[in-house]
Amino acid sequence: MATTQSADYDISKYTDRVSLWSNDPNAHLSGYFTLYYHVESELTPTKPDTILGDIYVRQAPNKICVLGLSPSHPFIVSSSSLNKDDLKKECNVVLATELVGTKVTYDTTIAQIIVGQITYLIKARMQGQLLELNPRLKDTPELLWEHTMDTGYIAVIMSRVDDTKQQLKGYLTEEEYNTSLAEKKSE
Amino acid sequence: MNLIEELRECLRISGLHPEPEQSIAVGLHIARLLRDVQCCYRCCLRFTRCNKMKIYKASEQDLQTAFNSLAKLLDVKPVSNDEEVQVASGCPACLGALGWMDQPENIQGIFDKIDTENYDCKRVNLNCTMPVSSLHRSHLLGVYVSDRLSDFPPSVLEIWNSEPVHDPKDAFKAVISDKLVERYGWTMDPVTAPLRMTIVLDHLETALEHRFLTQVKEPVMKLRKVRQNRKSIVAGESRTTITEALAALSKEEAYSLTAIPPLPPTTQITLADVAMVHESTIVGGRYLKMSREYSQTPWEIKGKRLAEFSVSEAIEEIIKRYHRCDNSKFVTAGREDANVRMLGTGRPFYCELINPRKPVLADEEYKKIEDEINNQDSKDAVQVRHLCKISPSDTKIIKEGEETKCKSYRALVWISQPITDEIIEKVNKVGSAPFKIQQTTPLRVFQRRSAAIREKEIHTCHLERVDGASLSGVESQFGVLTLNTQAGTYIKEFVHGDLGRTLPNLATLTGAVGADLIELDVLDVDLVWPPKK
């Protein structure tokens, strides 16, 4: 019934674009999201034996925010030197599922990663409605350190306001973050 | 029969008196009572239960002559002492509505509207709306008459109180219908006519008179302020409420709250509106969209158009012009994004044309419209096929089809590694049989859809390399994916995985880290449309 028109795709239009993706399998996500980072201030008070760290937020054009651990997050940094099989066994991801569907604020703890005695607290770091906590982290926590920037995301939050400057106040752009990392390295 | 005889016969069978011959005298008496307070003769006819519309068409002068002649014949007091009848603009019962029709300049207003609209339709359902004050005024005049029937046996009063007076609408419609049929050759058909005409008469001077009904001890009518369309309006005085309030109104309260008989108006009745609406015509077919820059319908966010052009505008404007209508609704079996092409046999759609002045077109005209649509500036972007008239009952096929039908797609995809023979074999093995995917609500629609995991079936799925592409380097990472899926499947998310929220997805099937959708085309919407005749 369907007329079989043969594919007429002209890939030369796209070869430049995709060659930028060769080094980073997540580079294509920039077509769907804008990447921001929240750097945790050292002065933020924390409970004993808990650690806060930097997070990233990918924001879509419809203002939905996808939150995850940034490469500079202490958990990610420490995981790089640990045995991955052991880490998978010892790592316990606790998601605040009771908060899904409710409004969260800057200080709301939406998830915890417990490794031995250390608890990493993941806070919303924005105001909005918590739409989802990544259910796959429970059984496959390795997504956190193997796919930190894509399928290992932690939460999906709906922006309270449309204006990104207000919604993600204090966040760094990708460029600013990379610059600050480079500066830290050279220190 | 001449008018006098017709009138006599009407009164005789009116049932105003248990004995028919006596009904004539009762009728004349009532007519005189009403003339004393300046009612028009047509109102006299409706108060005396005259059913024959033919008599209402006689002029006021002729009716006066007939009433008086009949009175003379029966040797009773004349109905009116006037030689010449007054122009019935000041009738306290109908506010002049039933005399309004006699003035050529009034009728001309209606003719003008009809001529302007110029509907290509001769079957009309005529309605009219009388001034709201005619409701209570007719009732009050009924009370006035009921207090003056002592000359007759009690059964006459009983009969009088038991039946309501005839609605002035019927006489009005009968007279106007005649004039419309004469001038336009229309068929007046209240049951099946597709063209509905409503003549609305207003009488501003008495428009709020009925509010005396709120003053009774136990009011049925209670006014209240409500918000409608950001404005504060008064509610609680609908015609239904007025009728109910009148039914509950005691004579004593009526006399204490308002004038009985009601006074004749001092101002004229006005034509508030002549509304004409024809039933919608439905035209449908299938459209193809070969451009990645056209949205399906015009889409605006914050005053800005998302895409400059749309499929619906390319199709609707021409159809609307041929059918001469102002508004239309564009309904499709499913949607595609602006950057997705609709190929193959096209997507089923229909256009509901609201209030078409030319509701019916010949089959050849639809071919003409199709050609015009397919040859305008947008021809390389939008094409239509099989354009034809659709019967309203068939439109449900489109909505049903959205749920149940399956769709065929073809996409240009990229994966994060070269597409090897092994990858192709792996994907095509899975795709040779139906498999299920779980799709969490895509992030791109998460702001307007509820969170859910929807299971969808991919019926078949096939991956190929791009014709002529190199087997290494970036070119080898492109592929052509053909899919046949259950309706409602999110294709883009199946390809790029939506951060792992659609599983399995193309990346997981190929074993690559990431995948992305570069271009998407809809190849087929499997729905029989237009319906077979």
Side-chain angles (χ1 to χ4, degrees):
Chain A
M1 185 204 184
T3 44
T4 40
Q5 288 158 265
S6 47
D8 56 354
Y9 299 120
D10 176 11
I11 58 175
S12 65
K13 289 197 285 198
Y14 304 107
T15 41
D16 283 349
R17 194 211 296 183
V18 305
S19 60
L20 296 173
W21 299 353
S22 295
N23 299 326
D24 176 6
N26 286 325
H28 67 282
L29 292 177
S30 60
Y32 299 94
F33 305 98
T34 312
L35 187 53
Y36 299 95
Y37 290 89
H38 181 274
V39 172
E40 209 48 56
S41 163
E42 275 148 23
L43 303 170
T44 313
T46 49
K47 292 201 206 118
D49 292 330
T50 66
I51 298 184
L52 299 169
D54 300 345
I55 56 163
Y56 72 79
V57 163
R58 291 193 189 275
Q59 190 178 44
N62 61 8
K63 308 302 175 188
I64 296 273
C65 293
V66 180
L67 184 156
L69 304 178
S70 88
S72 56
H73 192 284
F75 175 69
I76 301 299
V77 170
S78 68
S79 69
S80 62
S81 56
L82 297 174
N83 177 285
K84 301 296 186 288
D85 293 325
D86 292 340
L87 184 55
K88 185 174 156 116
K89 287 199 205 103
E90 286 166 23
C91 165
N92 181 18
V93 179
V94 179
L95 304 171
T97 44
E98 70 280 5
L99 294 180
V100 174
T102 69
K103 294 214 162 33
V104 296
T105 64
Y106 189 82
D107 281 321
T108 311
T109 303
I110 53 177
Q112 299 174 59
I113 303 171
I114 306 171
V115 186
Q117 299 300 316
I118 306 172
T119 301
Y120 299 91
L121 297 179
I122 318 299
K123 292 194 180 273
R125 287 312 182 225
M126 72 174 78
Q127 286 184 57
Q129 190 180 32
L130 180 62
L131 295 179
E132 184 184 296
L133 290 166
N134 190 343
R136 291 165 287 284
L137 295 178
K138 208 75 190 76
D139 294 334
T140 46
E142 60 267 30
L143 289 173
L144 285 169
W145 57 86
E146 287 175 11
H147 289 281
T148 318
M149 299 300 292
D150 53 26
T151 55
Y153 72 91
I154 295 179
V156 179
I157 299 174
M158 172 125 82
S159 289
R160 193 181 69 85
V161 293
D162 271 0
D163 181 11
T164 305
K165 287 199 184 64
Q166 214 184 325
Q167 179 67 28
L168 302 179
K169 192 168 164 203
Y171 282 58
L172 302 178
T173 63
E174 202 182 339
E175 208 184 301
E176 289 165 348
Y177 176 74
N178 290 334
T179 312
S180 81
L181 273 189
E183 280 170 6
K184 283 204 188 116
K185 272 216 182 83
S186 65
E187 275 164 18
Chain B
M1 270 204 274
N2 66 28
L3 187 59
I4 303 173
E5 286 162 357
E6 300 254 19
L7 179 61
R8 184 196 176 117
E9 185 56 19
C10 243
L11 293 175
R12 198 183 70 83
I13 60 171
S14 65
L16 289 167
H17 190 291
E19 287 166 52
E21 285 303 323
Q22 298 299 323
S23 293
I24 304 172
V26 175
L28 290 173
H29 175 80
I30 291 172
R32 190 180 328 111
L33 286 172
L34 294 172
R35 274 316 280 179
D36 281 346
V37 296
Q38 295 168 56
C39 281
C40 66
Y41 280 104
R42 297 198 182 96
C43 281
C44 293
L45 288 173
R46 64 182 182 97
F47 274 78
T48 55
R49 319 269 194 267
C50 179
N51 273 330
K52 258 187 128 168
M53 289 302 130
K54 188 171 165 196
I55 304 189
Y56 287 90
K57 294 171 190 178
S59 72
E60 285 283 293
Q61 184 64 62
D62 288 346
L63 285 171
Q64 171 160 289
T65 310
F67 268 107
N68 280 338
S69 305
L70 194 55
K72 199 156 174 210
L73 269 173
L74 265 64
D75 204 17
V76 296
K77 259 170 71 182
V79 168
S80 163
N81 291 322
D82 299 323
E83 283 283 323
E84 264 183 38
V85 76
Q86 319 296 335
V87 168
S89 63
C91 172
C94 67
L95 291 316
L98 295 180
W100 183 89
M101 323 178 283
D102 295 331
Q103 305 301 323
E105 60 268 22
N106 293 335
I107 306 287
Q108 190 57 45
I110 299 182
F111 291 159
D112 287 343
K113 167 84 184 203
I114 295 171
D115 294 338
T116 310
E117 296 290 335
N118 194 15
Y119 281 88
D120 184 18
C121 176
K122 288 199 185 312
R123 282 172 46 233
V124 180
N125 172 1
L126 176 66
N127 298 281
C128 67
T129 306
M130 294 282 116
V132 65
S133 52
S134 65
L135 279 172
H136 70 266
R137 279 162 164 264
S138 289
H139 177 92
L140 295 173
L141 282 161
V143 172
Y144 156 77
V145 166
S146 71
D147 281 346
R148 287 157 181 78
L149 294 174
S150 50
D151 286 353
F152 301 100
S155 54
V156 171
L157 179 59
E158 246 180 75
I159 291 168
W160 179 253
N161 284 334
S162 66
E163 261 183 52
V165 166
H166 286 351
D167 200 319
K169 266 203 253 193
D170 300 322
F172 186 86
K173 284 204 299 195
V175 174
I176 298 278
S177 295
D178 259 14
K179 297 194 199 282
L180 295 172
V181 169
E182 185 190 23
R183 186 178 167 93
Y184 296 105
W186 284 356
T187 307
M188 310 309 276
D189 177 358
V191 178
T192 65
L195 177 57
R196 192 186 162 91
M197 179 166 156
T198 309
I199 298 174
V200 180
L201 293 174
D202 246 354
H203 192 254
L204 297 169
E205 181 193 341
T206 58
L208 299 180
E209 240 180 30
H210 60 272
R211 286 187 176 179
F212 75 87
L213 290 164
T214 59
Q215 306 298 315
V216 303
K217 222 158 66 163
E218 282 164 33
V220 170
M221 179 184 295
K222 292 174 203 153
L223 300 181
R224 60 189 196 281
K225 283 212 177 105
V226 293
R227 266 195 103 63
Q228 205 184 73
N229 298 334
R230 295 187 219 169
K231 276 193 289 197
S232 189
I233 60 158
V234 179
E237 48 184 358
S238 69
R239 283 163 198 256
T240 324
T241 310
I242 293 174
T243 311
E244 282 169 15
L246 288 170
L249 181 67
S250 73
K251 217 196 274 196
E252 295 74 37
E253 291 207 271
Y255 270 108
S256 73
L257 291 172
T258 184
I260 295 180
L263 296 170
T266 58
T267 56
Q268 300 265 16
I269 204 169
T270 50
L271 177 64
D273 191 19
V274 180
M276 296 180 78
V277 180
H278 194 287
E279 273 171 13
S280 292
T281 296
I282 317 235
V283 176
R286 299 178 86 102
Y287 75 82
L288 284 85
K289 180 165 90 81
M290 288 80 71
S291 158
R292 296 192 190 282
E293 258 110 64
Y294 274 60
S295 57
Q296 200 189 60
T297 53
W299 240 34
E300 242 181 55
I301 289 189
K302 295 192 175 113
K304 227 179 112 188
R305 279 278 289 252
L306 253 59
E308 200 183 334
F309 304 107
S310 71
V311 171
S312 65
E313 286 166 312
I315 294 176
E316 279 179 328
E317 294 308 307
I318 294 175
I319 301 179
K320 274 158 63 173
R321 186 175 13 104
Y322 274 74
H323 277 287
R324 283 199 281 126
C325 68
D326 306 315
N327 292 311
S328 57
K329 289 189 207 155
F330 193 73
V331 179
T332 59
R335 291 184 313 255
E336 70 281 334
D337 289 342
N339 62 1
V340 175
R341 295 187 299 187
M342 180 65 239
L343 308 174
T345 56
R347 186 181 294 280
F349 76 91
Y350 69 82
C351 227
E352 182 186 341
L353 302 161
I354 313 289
N355 197 12
R357 308 309 189 276
K358 198 164 167 43
V360 176
L361 296 177
D363 288 341
E364 307 83 65
E365 299 228 54
Y366 286 113
K367 192 79 194 65
K368 245 176 98 182
I369 297 176
E370 197 177 300
D371 289 341
E372 198 175 315
I373 295 175
N374 289 339
N375 284 301
Q376 61 181 321
D377 287 345
S378 54
K379 63 181 190 286
D380 292 332
V382 177
Q383 290 279 301
V384 300
R385 304 275 183 266
H386 312 295
L387 197 67
C388 63
K389 182 171 151 76
I390 302 285
S391 76
S393 53
D394 283 340
T395 56
K396 64 181 192 307
I397 298 175
I398 294 273
K399 278 300 140 198
E400 286 165 3
E402 204 171 332
E403 304 293 306
T404 59
K405 288 303 172 178
C406 69
K407 313 274 167 73
S408 297
Y409 300 89
R410 189 181 59 223
L412 175 65
V413 298
W414 169 90
I415 64 172
S416 55
Q417 60 183 88
I419 297 183
T420 60
D421 288 340
E422 291 77 33
I423 287 178
I424 290 185
E425 222 185 283
K426 204 189 331 185
V427 171
N428 291 342
K429 185 146 178 256
V430 174
S432 61
F435 62 96
K436 299 262 200 278
I437 65 173
Q438 311 295 326
Q439 302 201 281
T440 316
T441 309
L443 291 168
R444 67 186 162 101
V445 299
F446 217 168
Q447 88 282 18
R448 58 183 158 90
R449 296 268 169 87
S450 60
I453 303 184
R454 296 171 185 89
E455 186 179 84
K456 293 288 171 188
E457 185 176 282
I458 310 276
H459 305 314
T460 61
C461 160
H462 181 85
L463 182 66
E464 271 175 22
R465 290 201 187 85
V466 177
D467 254 351
S470 159
L471 291 174
S472 64
V474 287
E475 284 193 6
S476 66
Q477 292 173 251
F478 288 102
V480 176
L481 185 70
T482 326
L483 298 152
N484 195 270
T485 74
Q486 184 182 349
T489 307
Y490 287 98
I491 303 300
K492 292 182 179 178
E493 278 69 17
F494 171 68
V495 173
H496 63 58
D498 201 31
L499 300 180
R501 295 161 80 261
T502 288
L503 288 167
N505 56 62
L506 185 63
T508 60
L509 286 182
T510 56
V513 174
D516 200 14
L517 179 74
I518 307 291
E519 279 183 15
L520 179 63
D521 298 322
V522 184
L523 291 186
D524 188 47
V525 174
D526 178 24
L527 182 65
V528 175
W529 183 268
K532 295 195 163 63
K533 294 225 165 76

